Every structure is written in structure tokens, then in C-alpha cells.
Amino acid sequence: MSIALDVALTHLTSRKRQTFVSLTGVVLGVAFFLAVSSLMRGSEKDFIKRLVDNSPHITVSDEYRTAAVQPAELRWPDGAVAIAHVKPQNETRGIRGYRDKLAYIETLPGVRVAPFLVGSALLTFAGRLQAVTLTGVVPAQMKGVTTIEEKMVEGSLDALAANPNGVIVGRALADRFGLRLGSTLSVVAPSGGNRQMKVVGIFRTGNANYDLEQTYALLKRAQSLLDRPNRANRFIIQLDDPYGARDLALALEARLGYKAVSWVEASEDVLSVLLIRNIIMYSVVSAILVVASFGIYNTISTIVMEKTRDIAILKSMGFHARDVRNIFLIEGLIVGLLGSLLGLGLGVGLMRALAAVTVKPPGVTEIVHLPIWWGPEQYAMAAAFALGSCLAAAYLPARKAGRVHPVDILRGAT
Amino acid sequence: MSAVLKAEHVLRRLGGEVPVTLVDDVSLEIGRGEFVCIMGPSGSGKSSLLYLLGLLDVPSAGRILLDGEDTSSYGEDELANRRLAKLGFVFQFHFLLAEFTVLENVLLPMRRLGRLDEAAATTRARELLERLGVADQAAKRPSQLSGGQRQRIAIARALANDPLVVLADEPTGNLDSAAAANVREILHGLTHELGKTVVAVTHDPAFAAAADRRIGLVDGRLRTSEAAA
Ligand SMILES: Nc1ncnc2c1ncn2[C@@H]1O[C@H](COP(=O)(O)OP(=O)(O)O)[C@@H](O)[C@H]1O
Ligand SMILES: [Mg+2]
């Protein structure tokens, strides 16, 4: 065993209580670091998972990101081109040649896609009126990209596939109109089209607006009702790897020409809030360790002061300043290592305890566990931060010890 | 007799508002195997001179030669290396590390030097303790020993790396007369039996009488007549 380690150990054990207190500081710091980090990151992952599960990974819509540029401006980009009185071409709204584009997307690996035609309509039943979003769907494909199937409380998507005149409505609308499976209501399109349709399914998502205003019909039926034959105006894409959404969205937008928005882009605000939350959280939990390191600084400073004679005699014997400095750095290291180790143990214990906590959010029947993240990098982070602050705390007194001039001490003693 | 320790016009001055001259133009030679006493009134600079000779302090002017080596250009670490390998110190207070046993205290310089492996070092430490008559105290802590025993262990520690010179600053200053006589005899024995060079600062006339040579110091200067001291 090296002398420095030997001496360091005797110093720490000769001041058991103070060592214990600073060790406790590190242990608690590391444990809180882990508990808070695992909870915050856990809730973040949980939140993102919900976000990813419940929102389309990529939405391609019949919009352009930028307005079309006049060909003349493209031809002479630096020229003083001024074009006046342009009458923009009146395009039929929707994704042009949607079948080809859809077929292309379907060839990509790890991708599920469904076409939608989203429009507005008016529902009337027994003299009541409700403006709704009427979405034309292909049930088989829709199943692959939405969780609507799980949200059905009555009827099913398959019933819609089987009944070209079927319509699926939300629970709120069903309640308002007093609809049941098999009820017939009339659907009026803005273009004047009008059709009697039969309720074949009722869903409930929990989102009040959605449950009132969202209505599904077959794509074909919607196309004819809305007078947009052979059109779809939205693709919803789900990926096996949601984190590839950003890149794929860019690629799709470049290839298809239509705006493709990934969930990452759509929830940029939320994600940046999460990032800021993480920064704040890690600052706060790190602050605990910084505070703990003051305890170590105090302990080691005291030891240095108490042991100046020992330091002087070691140096007079021929120990270098570095040897002496190492003694006290090792003391910091020991407290840091031991503190990290015990802290990791306590932290994992706290995480287990937190993971066992169940909460019952209001209005929800199921009991949920606190989301705890078990990711390994937080252990490394906590330990590294603890070690770093312990060494930093030990450095100043260690340097002071290394600089002790034996003659000054010897003179004082005689 | 070749000079093992040599001071050439050594001056040690402390700066500050009122500069203090601790050691003033001291030149001396100490031969191998000599037992030399430095004497003089309190505050005359005896300790200061001993620190300079022991490479614990560096002269403001002049130079110290140890074993023929000019040390004036050496940095802190190089001086420390010379102290470790060639010098041993005994002070008025024993300065043993309280948390280590007697044996461990004696082992410290050997472990730092690393010339002997653990087993050989332990054997040597035990031999030294034996020689100084404190072998039976090896496992004890310094606090369990008497003043005379502690000082003998400090001597054992000073001898650990088989130094050329042992420098002692009032080694008996804190001991009763019986213990002092014992330490004096031990130091005397070092020169006569082991051929070590001993430089000791002392107030004790009996101690001085046993020395081969006495160096007198007044106000940091050598007294012209050494014999008078
Ligand atoms: N750091 C210092 N500042 C000022 N004066 C000092 C300092 N150290 C020692 N002295 C003075 O230098 C002189 C020599 O001291 P020292 O070598 O300890 O003498 P001795 O060992 O002979 O008693 C004394 O007068 C002492 O007061
Ligand atoms: Mg003195």
C-alpha cells in the first residue's frame, strides 16, 4: 500500500465523526441526484412516449412550406424581376397523385402509412345540428397508424369497412344527439352533398373536443360527399423507430414536395421545455453535491491544519510537495468513491421505493406507477459529479499542505 | 578527512520591513565521521544554520556542498531527494506520526525511498530499534512511550535510510538528565561505531564535551575561536 494512501486512511479514521458527516453529505447528494434524475427523466420518457404513441410520427399534408415561386424569378434569381397581376392557378386541393406517393411510402422499411381526406361537414339528427370534421379513412391502413381501434367503445373499424354508408362518431356527439349503434343521421357537405349514414361505431378518446367533433367515414364515401374524387389530403405515417421521424420527414418533403411534419417538429415547444426542465433539475441536484463538497473541504482543511507538524516532518524527511498533496487528494478521492458507492446503493433503494409508489390520477380508473428511468448514464453522471466535486474540494487544502515549508513549522515548534 | 558537509560564505537573510540576518557569512567544513556540536546563546542562529546544512532551507548567498555536490542550483524536489537519501534529522520534539506504530514510523523514510523491499525494510527497522534499545516498543504508538524512548525512535527513523549525516537540533533539550545522557551516548556511538557524521545543536555542556569539535555561533556569525565554545 502506498504511503500516501496509508497516511490518508489514518487521517480519515482519526477524524471519524467529521469524515462520517462529509461522507453522509456525498451519499445523500448522490442518492438525491439519482432519485430526482430517475423520476424527472422517467416522467420525461413517459411523456414523450405518450406523445409519440398518440401523435402521428409524420404527417404529410397538402400544403407547401413556402409559397410557389414564379418561374421568371427562378430563371433570373438576381434580376430585377417584378411580376404584377398574377392570377394564381386554382388547384383542386389535396395531394396530387396521392396513390403513387402512398405506394412509394409503403415501400419504405419500418413504415406504416394511411391516407386521409379531412374535410368539414354538418351532421343533423332529430333536428339537432353539429359541425364536425369528417375524415375519410381506409380502415385497414388506419389501424396501422392510429390507436382509434383501442378507443372504440361500441362497434368497430371493421364494421365501417363492411358498410360503405357507415360512420363512426365520438362518445360526446353520441350523447348529445342520443345516438346508438344503427342510428341513422344525415351528413351535409359544404358543397351541398347530402347523405343518410348509419352509426357503426362510437369511440372515446378522453379529449372532449375530439369526441364531439371528429367523425370517420370511408375514404371513398368522403371523397364523393366532399366532392373531391380520388383525392387524399393527408398521409399519416408511423415508424418502427419514432426517432427516425425527423430525418424521414425531411427526405419525404424533399421527394414529395408536400409539407411533411415529424412529431419532433410538431412538439418542438414541448421538447424544449423538457430540455430546460432537465437543465434546471440537474443544476439543482448537482448543487446538493456542491454543498456536500464544502463539507469535504472543511474536513480536509481541518486535517491539514491539525497535521501541519506531520506534514513538516514528512517534508523534512524528503517527501516532495506532490507526495504530500497526494495524501489529501486521496482523502478527497476516498470520500468521493465511498460516498458514490454508498450513494448509488441508497439511490437505487430510493428509486425502487419511488417505483413502487402508485398514484391514481383524478378521473382515471387505472392505478399508475411513478415513471422511473433506470438508464445507466445517470449513475455514471452522479458518481462522476460526486468524485469531481470531492477532488475539487480536496484540491485547495491539498495544495496548501504541499506548500508547507518545514522550516516554518520547525521554528514555531522550538 | 574528506568534507562531507561544507558551507561556503553562507548567508541567510529574511526580507521584510526590517531585514533579519539569521546566518552571516558562515564557512565551515565537517569531515566524515565527525561528531560536531554547534553551540551558542539562544537566538544566535544555531537552528537556522542547521536547517541550511540540512538542506531544509536555502542560503540567500553562499553555497552548501553535501558529499562534494554543490546544492545551490537544486530545486525543492532535488533537495528533498538528497535529504531522503543522505540526511537524517532529530529535533527537540520527536515529531513522530501519532497514528502510526513505532515500527511504521521508522519504516516511513525507507518506504518513500523504496530502495529496500517491504520485508528487508522491516528487518532493518527492527535492527535499528534493537540497536537503540526500543525493539520491544515496535508495535506501540508514540503516545505510549516516554520522552527518551520517543527520541530514540526518532533517531532510529533518522538512521533508516543509512544517511551520511545526522543533524540534531537540541535532541536532549526536552529530556531529563538520565534520558539525555542515554541519547547523547547513542549519538556519540553513531560516529564511533557506525562511522556516521553527526552535527548537533546543543546547550548541554556534557554533550559538548563529548564532541570531536565545537562550533560557536554568536549573532549568526562563527565565533573566531572554536575552542572557546
Ligand atoms: N521568521 C523569522 N522572522 C524573524 N526573525 C526570526 C525568524 N526566525 C528566526 N528569527 C530570529 O533569528 C534568530 C536566529 O534564530 P534561531 O536560528 O532559531 O536561533 P537559535 O536556534 O540559536 O536559538 C533569532 O533571533 C530569531 O528570533
Ligand atoms: Mg534553536
Side-chain angles (χ1 to χ4, degrees), chain A residues 411, chain B residues 14 20 22 41-49 170:
Chain A
R411 261 193 223 288
Chain B
L14 295 177
V20 188
L22 305 177
S42 184
S44 58
K46 305 182 295 295
S47 295
S48 304
L49 178 59
E170 303 193 34

Side-chain angles (χ1 to χ4, degrees), chain A residues 1 6 307 315 320 323 413, chain B residues 81 83 93 99 111-112:
Chain A
M1 201 161 35
D6 240 1
K307 301 291 182 188
K315 287 198 78 176
H320 291 190
D323 301 324
Chain B
N81 290 342
R83 292 199 297 271
F93 297 98
E99 293 91 3
R111 291 175 64 187
R112 177 63 186 82

Side-chain angles (χ1 to χ4, degrees), chain A residues 1-3 6-7 10-11 14 307 309-323 402 404-407 409-411 413-414, chain B residues 14 22 47-48 51 56-57 76-78 80-81 83-85 87 89 91-100 105 108-109 111-112 157 169:
Chain A
M1 201 161 35
S2 87
I3 311 175
D6 240 1
V7 177
T10 63
H11 283 174
S14 72
K307 301 291 182 188
R309 280 181 166 215
D310 289 7
I311 296 166
I313 196 65
L314 287 173
K315 287 198 78 176
S316 75
M317 228 184 253
F319 280 64
H320 291 190
R322 193 186 328 111
D323 301 324
V404 164
H405 210 309
V407 166
I409 310 305
L410 295 169
R411 261 193 223 288
T414 39
Chain B
L14 295 177
L22 305 177
S47 295
S48 304
Y51 299 150
L56 286 168
D57 200 5
E76 223 189 285
D77 289 351
E78 286 167 302
N81 290 342
R83 292 199 297 271
L84 183 67
L87 302 174
F89 294 93
F91 300 102
Q92 183 173 358
F93 297 98
H94 56 86
F95 282 129
L96 297 169
L97 303 197
E99 293 91 3
F100 287 92
N105 267 286
L108 272 177
R111 291 175 64 187
R112 177 63 186 82
R157 183 180 60 187
D169 193 355

Side-chain angles (χ1 to χ4, degrees), chain A residues 39 43 46 50 353-372:
Chain A
L39 191 57
S43 65
D46 186 63
R50 280 167 203 265
L354 283 173
V357 171
T358 51
V359 284
K360 198 169 166 297
V364 176
T365 44
E366 80 219 273
I367 290 169
V368 296
H369 285 271
L370 286 182
I372 296 292

